[in-house]
Each structure stands twice: as structure tokens, then as C-alpha cells.
Amino acid sequence: MTDSALRLHSPAGDPKRVEADIPAPCIQNHAANLMPLAEGDLGCVWFGGTQEGIADISIYFSRLARDAAAWSTPVKLSDDPTRSEQNPILFPAPDGKLWLIYTAQRSGNQDTAIVRYRISEDNGISWGPIGTLFEKAGTFVRQPVVVLDNGDWLIPVFYCRTNPGDKWVGNNDISAVMISNDQGAHWREVEVPDSVGCVHMNIEKMDDGSLLALFRSRWADHVYSSRSIDNGRSWSAPQPTELPNNNSSIQYTRLANGHLAIVYNDISSAEATERRVSLYDEIEDEGDAPGAPQVAPAAASEGRTAFWGTPRAPMTLAISADGGKTWPHKRNLEVGDGYCMSNNSEKKVNREFSYPSIKQTPDGFIHIAYTYWRQKIKYVRVTEDWVNG
């Protein structure tokens, strides 16, 4: 990583795009989440270590201060030597506190994950003690917290479920929403109906007061959508959209003009020529988690199995002007073969662009971060006009 790549710069031939590498101290860096912070700063959190699922994976935090030319040196915010700590989220609460929310699992077994948190009262300069937010085994988070007009907090979660004696491979995962009306002191669960295979639920408020959720698909076919008209107390069954999905994360945000902007891999399993057994098929049991040896995926309840191995490229930004019904305006942020049959970063064979995060700031800029070859986190800043060239 060169010094010039770490500083904000426009690539040759694309003056309307600004980008930078976020300093990455680890062999593997993955699953970034961006969030505008107080005083015009941007925060980014991700997980880093040797390899996803191994217990040396921890949460890292970097800041792009207002008017700064580069992201700050990362700070490690978690370090449990018995668990792989993953999928961090930053949540600036209405009371001015900044929450960090993330998962912690044993070995490569996502069905052992719990959700932890830390709180900062000084905009991420210092952090309070680590606590457990959701202790139900198999609970995962990925997408931002939503604060409704009535003051409710919504955290989308998904549950990694297995049959007794089976190792987790993703066949039976479902989504739910955790709702708090007392600023996180207590939570109630609302399960999304018929959501087997729909994960990474990403919720935004629409102009008409409804909530739109978009999902990653374990089947690697389409991005799915669901809606709520009662502040998240009930949800429609997820339905496929026109957007493809490759069983990799997506994220979208509502822009100030009411348009929606999504970052995703514009590809599905229909274009895949290889297939992995599971995300964690390279990880040997470290002896601290139950589970049978890795086997081929068992059939899900409706006879479908999670599809792993679809290329994670291109990385695409798309715009919808009709509330997510259609996405006619698209432009690639990255192109390549997206090879992801291995997530081992020491061998440097992974070439995926994945797990994007997207937010808009009041100045109109759209900020995006994503995994680049599992080796670093890349940051890109554009405007909506950039999508149309």
C-alpha cells in the first residue's frame, strides 16, 4: 500500500471520483461499515486479522476527520482471544452517544455468534466497557440501526440456524428485527415471515412513512425486498427484485432527494462456474466450539441449499427514483473476476470486491467503503450525477 493510495485522490480519467485506501494493519480486512459522525467526520469500522472465523479477528475503527486528507491510523476496539469478532456497525444515537455493535463467534461456527456492544460518549475518542446486547446463539448483525420518527430503534438481525449435529452452512438462516422503545434498554423481536435464505436485512424509511428492507440471498439469485407499514411490527414476505445477488452483502441508503442508492455485486449464481461448500470450509475446528466435521450442505427446509462461490465482482452503484421498484441507472465502481473460492488472505488468491457500505452526507456527497481482495478497505466518494457519467 503506497502513501499516495492512502491519501484522498482522484484516479486518472475520473475527476468526479475521490478515493483512498483506509489504513489496514492486518493480513485480512473485511466487512466495512461507514457512518457520518458529529462535527462532519466520517467513521469506518471493519474486522481484521488472519482470516474470517479465526479467533484473532477483531474490530477496527478509523476516522476521516472533516477536511482531512487521509483516514486515521486504525484503533482496535475488540480483542477476545476465544472468538472471531465480526460485522461491526456504528450507531450515532439521538442522545449524542456513539454505539459500536458487532458479532462474536467461536471458530468458524456462525451459529455460536452473540452480539456485543461498546458506547463512546466523546464521538469515538474513547470507549466504555464491552457488553452483550443479544445473547441468543446464532444472532448476527450487518446493517445500520434505524431510528423511527416515533423514537423507536430498529436493529435488523439474522439467525444462523443448524440442525442438531450439523455444522453451519447457511441453509436455514432467517431474518428478524429487534425493536426498542427505551433507547436500547429492552428489546422485542419481530421475525420476518418466509425469510429463509434472506439475510443482511437493510432497512430505510420511505417518503410515505413505510419501511423498505432489502436482503442478501443465500440462494445467490436476487436481492429480495420486504415492506412494513406499521413501524416494523410486521413485514411482508420477501420477494425477489430485478437486482441480482451472489450470496454476498449489499447496502443501500435513501438520498436527500428521495432517490435510493444501492451498492452490490451485479451478478448471480446463474453466471457462476464453481461452487464452494461453505464460507468457512478452510477453517479447522479450533477445539473451542461444538460441531461435526465439515460436510456437504444438508438440505434446507424447502429443499434449497446456500450457494457459495459466485464471483464477487463487479462492485456496482445503482440508483432508483421510484422507491426501489426499478434501478435503471448503474455504474461500476470496480471490475474484475471477483474470485472468492478462498478467503485466505495470506496466499493472496482472493480477488473479491464485497461487503459495501454507503451513506450520504448533507453536502450531497455519497460515501462508499468496501472490501478490496480481502486485503484492504477501499473508500470512494462520488455524487449521484457520477452514476450517469
Side-chain angles (χ1 to χ4, degrees), residues 148-206:
L148 302 185
D149 294 339
N150 65 3
D152 286 355
W153 295 5
L154 272 60
I155 300 181
V157 302
F158 62 101
Y159 295 124
C160 297
R161 307 186 306 174
T162 58
N163 296 319
D166 288 345
K167 189 176 178 68
W168 176 86
V169 291
N171 292 337
N172 287 292
D173 297 354
I174 61 170
S175 283
V177 177
M178 305 300 293
I179 303 176
S180 175
N181 59 12
D182 56 8
Q183 294 75 55
H186 302 90
W187 299 88
R188 59 170 291 191
E189 174 199 84
V190 175
E191 186 175 311
V192 179
D194 302 322
S195 62
V196 173
C198 292
V199 296
H200 292 202
M201 185 182 189
N202 185 185
I203 302 170
E204 287 282 351
K205 298 180 286 186
M206 299 294 104

Side-chain angles (χ1 to χ4, degrees), residues 55-292:
D56 69 357
I57 289 286
S58 299
I59 305 303
Y60 288 84
F61 170 71
S62 179
R63 181 192 308 269
L64 182 63
R66 185 180 60 184
D67 300 325
W71 288 80
S72 67
T73 301
V75 177
K76 184 189 285 190
L77 296 185
S78 72
D79 194 13
D80 185 335
T82 69
R83 288 181 178 255
S84 180
E85 297 156 309
Q86 303 180 190
N87 287 21
I89 303 164
L90 289 172
F91 169 46
D95 61 4
K97 296 178 181 178
L98 179 63
W99 289 57
L100 169 72
I101 302 170
Y102 61 97
T103 64
Q105 68 181 58
R106 292 194 178 101
S107 189
N109 297 283
Q110 286 199 182
D111 55 314
T112 67
I114 58 175
V115 178
R116 291 175 171 168
Y117 73 98
R118 299 186 76 177
I119 296 176
S120 171
E121 299 190 7
D122 54 12
N123 200 31
I125 304 301
S126 62
W127 295 86
I130 296 172
T132 298
L133 189 62
F134 305 132
E135 61 183 3
K136 180 180 178 179
T139 307
F140 250 75
V141 295
R142 163 61 187 162
Q143 305 289 9
V145 181
V146 178
V147 179
L148 302 185
D149 294 339
N150 65 3
D152 286 355
W153 295 5
L154 272 60
I155 300 181
V157 302
F158 62 101
Y159 295 124
C160 297
R161 307 186 306 174
T162 58
N163 296 319
D166 288 345
K167 189 176 178 68
W168 176 86
V169 291
N171 292 337
N172 287 292
D173 297 354
I174 61 170
S175 283
V177 177
M178 305 300 293
I179 303 176
S180 175
N181 59 12
D182 56 8
Q183 294 75 55
H186 302 90
W187 299 88
R188 59 170 291 191
E189 174 199 84
V190 175
E191 186 175 311
V192 179
D194 302 322
S195 62
V196 173
C198 292
V199 296
H200 292 202
M201 185 182 189
N202 185 185
I203 302 170
E204 287 282 351
K205 298 180 286 186
M206 299 294 104
D207 289 336
D208 62 3
S210 67
L211 301 175
L212 171 66
L214 298 182
F215 302 81
R216 163 185 179 171
S217 169
R218 288 281 186 237
W219 321 131
D221 53 359
H222 298 276
V223 173
Y224 281 69
S225 69
S226 173
R227 294 184 184 269
S228 173
I229 58 173
D230 56 5
N231 290 326
R233 268 62 182 177
S234 64
W235 294 86
S236 63
Q239 299 295 320
T241 71
E242 69 179 40
L243 296 174
N245 185 253
N246 56 344
N247 192 9
S248 188
S249 196
I250 56 99
Q251 193 171 108
Y252 88 104
T253 193
R254 183 182 179 277
L255 304 179
N257 63 3
H259 294 176
L260 307 181
I262 188 171
V263 193
Y264 70 108
N265 295 128
D266 195 21
I267 189 173
S268 73
S269 61
E271 301 165 77
T273 58
E274 297 180 273
R275 182 171 184 172
R276 291 181 69 180
V277 173
S278 79
L279 178 65
Y280 295 114
D281 60 353
E282 298 170 308
I283 297 176
E284 297 181 0
D285 192 350
E286 296 178 338
D288 59 355

Side-chain angles (χ1 to χ4, degrees), residues 17-51:
R17 168 173 169 158
V18 173
E19 61 183 46
D21 292 338
I22 297 177
C26 302
I27 294 171
Q28 181 168 116
N29 299 273
H30 187 45
N33 252 307
L34 282 176
M35 185 59 64
L37 304 179
E39 302 177 0
D41 294 354
L42 271 179
C44 185
V45 285
W46 68 96
F47 69 73
T50 301
Q51 184 177 327

